């Protein structure tokens, strides 16, 4: 059994670096493959991945500010604004000024967006089940904790 610390092998700053041990390589491969798989399912119901992301975010809580949606989707605000405008033209969402702060534009699901969200969840659920196949509840919970910890570690700027 190899007793080498994978944290060392995954450090791009070391001569021992191995791409397969670099967690961000693995995460990027996973997300890219997942997106490629669900994209075909989403196209079949007439939406793309950015729209799906917005629908999923608003499906959890609506209304939400455009910046809040952009932050949750990890998409630049200007790009998110264009996505939301396109979705509004398609009748999936609508926007209004926030009653609490007129500078904030809130986005809400339209009925067509709620209907599309139901379709999108149904279309992507089998892929989700395929991805988590073989993971125990404990493994899945650990995965979520570890991913949250990695995300939280990126809040601070790295030391030089």
């Amino acid at each position: 059994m190899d007793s080498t610390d994978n944290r060392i092998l995954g450090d791009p700053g070391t001569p021992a670096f191995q791409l397969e041990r670099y967690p961000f390589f693995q995460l990027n491969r996973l997300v890219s493959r997942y997106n490629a798989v669900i994209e075909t399912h989403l196209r079949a119901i007439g939406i793309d991945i950015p729209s799906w992301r917005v629908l999923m975010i608003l499906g959890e809580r609506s209304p939400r500010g455009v910046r809040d949606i952009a932050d949750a989707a990890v998409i630049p605000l200007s790009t998110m604004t264009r996505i939301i405008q396109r979705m509004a033209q398609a009748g999936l969402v609508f926007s209004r000024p926030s009653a609490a702060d007129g500078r904030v534009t809130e986005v809400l699901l339209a009925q067509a967006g709620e209907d599309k969200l139901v379709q999108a969840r149904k279309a992507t659920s089998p892929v989700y089940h395929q991805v988590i196949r073989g993971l125990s509840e404990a493994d899945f919970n650990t995965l979520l904790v570890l991913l949250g910890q990695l995300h939280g570690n990126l809040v601070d700027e790295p030391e030089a």
Side-chain angles (χ1 to χ4, degrees):
M1 180 174 201
D2 185 7
S3 63
T4 304
D5 187 337
N6 281 324
R7 294 173 301 173
I8 294 168
L9 297 176
D11 179 354
T14 66
F17 177 71
Q18 295 177 10
L19 190 59
E20 293 288 326
R21 312 293 175 140
Y22 187 52
F24 302 102
F25 172 75
Q26 296 292 351
L27 288 168
N28 195 34
R29 278 179 36 150
L30 172 64
V31 170
S32 294
R33 179 71 185 127
Y34 177 74
N35 284 341
V37 171
I38 66 165
E39 185 175 35
T40 59
H41 296 273
L42 295 174
R43 261 198 230 130
I45 63 168
I47 60 171
D48 58 12
I49 289 176
S51 297
W52 172 75
R53 290 167 82 181
V54 171
L55 290 173
M56 295 295 278
I57 291 165
L58 289 174
E60 212 173 66
R61 189 179 81 239
S62 178
R64 286 177 97 145
V66 176
R67 180 174 299 283
D68 185 34
I69 297 168
D71 289 346
V74 193
I75 294 176
L77 181 59
S78 60
T79 303
M80 181 54 69
T81 299
R82 289 191 302 276
I83 293 166
I84 289 171
Q85 288 169 345
R86 184 171 36 93
M87 292 177 71
Q89 289 173 350
L92 299 174
V93 298
F94 63 95
S95 60
R96 67 181 184 203
S98 168
D101 184 347
R103 299 170 296 174
V104 174
T105 299
E106 293 180 331
V107 181
L108 299 90
L109 284 173
Q111 185 60 52
E114 291 179 22
D115 296 344
K116 194 61 76 172
L117 175 59
V118 169
Q119 293 175 344
R121 286 181 170 164
K122 184 177 179 184
T124 58
S125 180
V127 179
Y128 171 79
H129 287 279
Q130 177 185 351
V131 170
I132 67 166
R133 183 178 55 222
L135 291 180
S136 69
E137 179 182 356
D139 287 344
F140 188 79
N141 291 340
T142 299
L143 174 64
L144 292 177
V145 167
L146 293 172
L147 291 171
Q149 185 177 350
L150 290 174
H151 184 269
N153 288 345
L154 287 172
V155 173
D156 298 326
E157 288 294 320
E159 296 175 7

